[in-house]
């Protein structure tokens, strides 16, 4: 059906392109009329006071214009969240074929390694460009909706800025995939570096003394271009810098890929081989705990990615807790009598330490936890794609046991990570001196479990019918739509039935209000039903082979 690796790889990204690009584009378009009303009813001085207290998140420029406010509120954060998708997609280039065993078939054809990986990289670059173009078209449509000047050049340059930044993230992940033994470990480390780079960029805006810290991050090159603000414009030198970084990591990745063994790594110390007899090798494998069952193997294979996810999100949580303490006084002063800004920042509870932690830290944590659950559960979809279960199912091991062991390994990761995150936040709060009810904080982390279970349950159900690319794209798009709907609902005022489709809507704000135990229980029951349906499907259907 497909004449090239490029077209096949690009086809695998079709859902991600439509969902990430389309949803973000529509969100930006819908945000323009609301921002126009906000700008017209709020003084420039009051808006400036608002964003000055949140300089960590984005540079306050041109806030008295819709394009400036949209850039500060939405455009500035796009590379952080879409970058997670880019990192996961790039880490699988080449590696996914190795894990499936399909790369051996490709290498047996008259195609060089450079061509194989080069076409996959080109497909990823095209996909990121299409996602970014949809985002730029959303800004263009938003300008047209409010009857303002339509800046085609600014929208296209915004798309290019997003594309280049996502390519930097992707190429770093691809480079790490050559050094680490699995795509999951490479994606996890890339996401940890992504969060670290975002933090460094924010630190550079906190004070002139820290400006040099921000320049250490490639996100600095992204943030110094604001094409949607005519008075600010585009820094073309920053574009060249992003291209250079992406090129260096991309070319290095291709060179390492051409020289390393299939299934191996490019670490120098990994080149040394250990000579041992087949008897000793078999005895060592028999004693390995990670090879005593499907669940143990999945858990062992997922540990590297789990560790890097915990490190990355842990750094994010610790730093954001510190930022909350740093801007506490500024926000309290700002919120005195500023009713409009209280509505934008989700209420008067921001006047308390608990409200600040809820409004700042927990604004992003639910989607990060959900994406983590998606990455852990997608290992099951990849195993089905790669045909790894065929040999296991040829043994007298019942299918239900294989399925439940795999689910048990995923469930263990979904429990361990939030516990670690909770401990990090508790320690950070104790260090910074914030006054937060610890019992409510623990309940808030318990509330993440239903979100994780539903996200993983969707993967386990769909994996029996669709390829891992479709499963990840569909579930990831659902999460993106749910988060954007809930995050922007205070200003978009979406219909009740529509916002009711968001799983994040039912999480609520357990730190400042009563936990929604009933909704959490219902979501958990739905997740259990999805897991049971996936079990029935797996026991009765053919095992999918490398779809």
């Amino acid at each position: 059906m497909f004449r090239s690796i490029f077209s096949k790889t690009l086809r695998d990204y079709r859902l991600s392109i439509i969902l990430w690009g389309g949803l973000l584009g529509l969100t930006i378009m819908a945000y323009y009329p609301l921002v126009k009303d906000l700008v017209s009813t709020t003084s420039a001085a009051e808006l400036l006071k608002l964003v000055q207290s949140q300089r960590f998140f984005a540079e306050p420029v041109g806030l008295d214009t819709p394009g400036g406010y949209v850039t500060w509120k939405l455009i500035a954060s796009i590379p952080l969240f879409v970058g997670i998708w880019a990192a996961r997609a790039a880490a699988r280039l080449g590696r996914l074929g190795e894990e499936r065993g399909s790369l051996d078939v490709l290498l047996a054809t008259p195609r060089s390694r450079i061509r194989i990986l080069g076409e996959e990289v080109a497909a990823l670059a095209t996909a990121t460009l299409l996602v970014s173009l949809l985002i730029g078209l959303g800004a263009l449509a938003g300008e047209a909706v409010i009857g303002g000047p339509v800046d085609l050049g600014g929208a296209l340059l915004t798309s290019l800025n997003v594309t280049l930044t996502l390519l930097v993230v992707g190429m770093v992940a691809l480079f790490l995939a050559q050094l680490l033994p699995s795509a999951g470990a490479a994606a996890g480390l890339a996401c940890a570096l992504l969060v670290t780079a975002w933090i460094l960029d924010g630190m550079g805006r906190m004070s002139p003394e820290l400006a040099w810290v921000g320049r250490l991050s490639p996100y600095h090159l992204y943030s110094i271009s604001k094409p949607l603000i005519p008075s600010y414009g585009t820094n073309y030198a920053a574009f060249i810098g992003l291209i250079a970084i992406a090129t260096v990591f991309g070319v290095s990745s291709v060179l390492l890929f051409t020289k390393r063994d299939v299934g191996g790594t490019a670490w120098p110390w990994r080149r040394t081989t250990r000579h041992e007899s087949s008897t000793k090798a078999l005895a060592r494998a028999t004693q390995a705990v990670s090879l005593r069952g499907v669940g143990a193997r999945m858990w062992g294979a997922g540990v590297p990615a789990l560790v890097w996810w915990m490190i990355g999100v842990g750094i994010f949580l610790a730093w954001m807790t510190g930022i909350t303490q740093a801007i506490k006084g500024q926000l309290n002063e700002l919120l005195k009598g500023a009713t409009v800004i209280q509505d934008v920042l989700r209420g008067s509870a921001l006047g308390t330490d608990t409200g600040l932690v809820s409004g700042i830290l927990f604004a992003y944590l639910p989607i990060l936890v959900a994406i983590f659950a998606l990455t852990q559960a997608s290992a099951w979809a990849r195993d089905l794609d790669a045909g790894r279960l065929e040999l296991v199912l040829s043994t007298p091991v019942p299918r239900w046991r294989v399925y439940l062991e795999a689910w048990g390994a995923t469930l263990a990761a979904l429990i361990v990570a939030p516990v670690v995150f909770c401990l990090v936040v508790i320690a950070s709060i104790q260090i910074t001196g914030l006054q937060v009810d610890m019992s409510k904080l623990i309940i808030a982390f318990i509330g993440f479990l239903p979100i994780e279970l539903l996200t993983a349950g969707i993967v386990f159900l769909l994996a029996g019918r669709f390829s891992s690319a479709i499963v990840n794209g569909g579930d990831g798009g659902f999460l993106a739509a749910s988060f954007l709907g809930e995050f922007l609902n205070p200003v978009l005022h979406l219909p009740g039935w529509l916002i009711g489709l968001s799983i994040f809507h039912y999480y609520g704000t357990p730190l400042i209000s009563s936990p929604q135990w009933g909704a959490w229980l219902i979501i958990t029951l739905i997740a259990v039903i999805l897991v049971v349906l996936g079990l029935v499907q797996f026991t009765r259907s053919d095992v999918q082979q490398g779809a």
Side-chain angles (χ1 to χ4, degrees):
M1 180 182 295
F2 300 101
R3 298 180 181 274
S4 67
I5 299 171
F6 170 84
S7 59
K8 171 63 172 65
T9 307
L10 185 61
R11 176 181 179 271
D12 290 339
Y13 296 139
R14 63 190 185 280
L15 279 180
S16 298
I17 294 171
I18 295 172
L19 293 174
W20 279 106
L23 288 173
L24 286 171
L26 290 174
T27 300
I28 292 173
M29 181 187 70
Y31 208 75
Y32 262 87
L34 301 168
V35 171
K36 181 182 179 181
D37 295 337
L38 176 65
V39 170
S40 62
T41 57
T42 308
S43 67
E46 191 174 37
L47 285 174
L48 185 59
K49 287 175 61 179
L50 163 65
V51 299
Q52 285 292 348
S53 64
Q54 301 184 65
R55 291 181 63 89
F56 175 82
F57 300 100
E59 184 71 24
V61 177
L63 294 177
D64 54 344
T65 65
Y69 195 89
V70 168
T71 297
W72 172 77
K73 185 69 175 180
L74 297 178
I75 302 296
S77 302
I78 284 177
L80 177 64
F81 296 105
V82 186
I84 295 176
W85 165 77
R88 296 185 65 237
R92 300 172 67 188
L93 298 181
R95 276 292 180 194
L96 182 61
E98 294 178 59
E99 295 175 358
R100 287 179 174 178
S102 59
L103 183 61
D104 296 335
V105 178
L106 285 176
L107 293 176
T109 64
R111 288 183 174 88
S112 66
R113 288 194 176 201
I114 293 179
R115 178 181 174 183
I116 292 173
L117 189 59
E119 288 193 30
E120 291 189 342
V121 171
L124 177 63
T126 304
T128 57
L129 177 61
L130 293 175
V131 169
S132 303
L133 281 176
L134 290 175
I135 293 172
L137 290 176
L140 201 66
E143 293 174 341
V145 168
I146 63 175
V150 177
D151 185 3
L152 177 60
L156 293 178
L157 288 173
T158 298
S159 300
L160 181 59
N161 197 21
V162 174
T163 300
L164 295 178
T165 308
L166 294 180
L167 281 179
V168 169
V169 174
M171 293 304 97
V172 170
L174 179 61
F175 179 77
L176 294 174
Q178 312 312 311
L179 305 179
L180 300 176
S182 68
L189 178 54
C191 289
L193 294 177
L194 182 152
V195 172
T196 303
W198 181 73
I199 290 174
L200 291 176
D201 180 44
M203 288 176 61
R205 289 189 293 268
M206 296 298 290
S207 68
E209 292 78 12
L210 295 176
W212 66 272
V213 177
R215 297 189 185 98
L216 300 176
S217 168
Y219 277 141
H220 175 71
L221 299 177
Y222 171 80
S223 62
I224 61 177
S225 291
K226 296 177 174 57
L228 292 179
I229 308 174
S231 61
Y232 193 93
T234 303
N235 189 315
Y236 293 99
F239 280 11
I240 295 174
L242 291 172
I243 293 173
I245 295 173
T247 301
V248 168
F249 280 100
V251 172
S252 300
S253 300
V254 173
L255 293 178
L256 291 176
F257 178 71
T258 59
K259 295 181 179 180
R260 67 175 177 83
D261 294 336
V262 174
T265 67
W267 280 111
W269 65 270
R270 302 283 290 192
R271 296 181 183 277
T272 60
T273 58
R274 179 172 60 180
H275 299 282
E276 60 181 352
S277 65
S278 59
T279 303
K280 290 183 178 180
L282 182 59
R284 183 166 53 83
T286 304
Q287 296 173 359
V289 177
S290 61
L291 298 178
R292 295 183 180 179
V294 174
R297 190 202 64 81
M298 284 192 64
W299 171 259
V303 164
L306 172 64
V307 170
W308 285 116
W309 263 97
M310 290 192 296
I311 291 175
V313 177
I315 293 173
F316 171 81
L317 294 178
W319 184 254
M320 291 302 292
T321 306
I323 291 297
T324 301
Q325 175 65 18
I327 66 177
K328 173 183 174 182
Q330 298 176 359
L331 275 178
N332 287 339
E333 183 65 26
L334 170 68
L335 290 174
K336 292 179 180 178
T339 56
V340 174
I341 295 180
Q342 286 183 8
D343 291 338
V344 175
L345 293 180
R346 298 186 179 183
S348 58
L350 286 174
T352 66
D353 288 356
T354 301
L356 280 171
V357 173
S358 177
I360 296 177
L361 183 63
F362 280 79
Y364 300 104
L365 192 52
I367 183 64
L368 291 177
V369 171
I371 293 176
F372 164 76
L374 173 60
T375 61
Q376 291 296 308
S378 63
W380 172 251
R382 292 196 303 269
D383 283 348
L384 290 177
D385 271 2
R388 296 193 188 100
L389 299 179
E390 295 177 7
L391 183 60
V392 175
L393 295 178
S394 67
T395 64
V397 178
R399 285 196 173 198
W400 62 264
R401 179 178 173 181
V402 172
Y403 181 92
L404 292 180
E405 282 193 25
W407 171 252
T410 302
L411 179 61
L414 302 186
I415 294 175
V416 168
V419 171
V420 173
F421 298 156
C422 183
L423 294 176
V424 170
V425 173
I426 290 176
S428 301
I429 287 175
Q430 294 294 334
I431 294 173
T432 56
L434 292 170
Q435 301 298 317
V436 178
D437 188 336
M438 292 301 171
S439 61
K440 286 190 174 182
L441 183 67
I442 294 174
I443 291 175
F445 277 94
I446 293 175
F448 288 138
L449 187 58
I451 296 176
E452 290 184 304
L453 293 177
L454 183 59
T455 302
I458 293 174
V459 172
F460 271 75
L461 176 63
L462 297 181
R465 292 293 182 184
F466 305 100
S467 67
S468 60
I470 295 178
V471 172
N472 287 329
D475 202 0
F478 168 68
L479 294 178
S482 296
F483 177 73
L484 288 173
E486 178 62 18
F487 185 74
L488 299 175
N489 188 48
V491 291
L492 293 180
H493 303 294
L494 298 173
W497 66 268
L498 183 58
I499 195 62
L501 299 177
S502 169
I503 60 174
F504 301 107
H505 177 68
Y506 299 103
Y507 176 71
T509 54
L511 271 180
I512 59 178
S513 60
S514 299
Q516 302 186 44
W517 293 110
W520 294 355
L521 178 60
I522 292 175
I523 293 176
T524 302
L525 292 176
I526 294 175
V528 171
I529 292 173
L530 294 180
V531 173
V532 172
L533 291 176
L535 172 62
V536 173
Q537 177 178 259
F538 179 71
T539 57
R540 297 182 179 181
S541 303
D542 292 337
V543 178
Q544 193 174 7
Q545 299 181 6

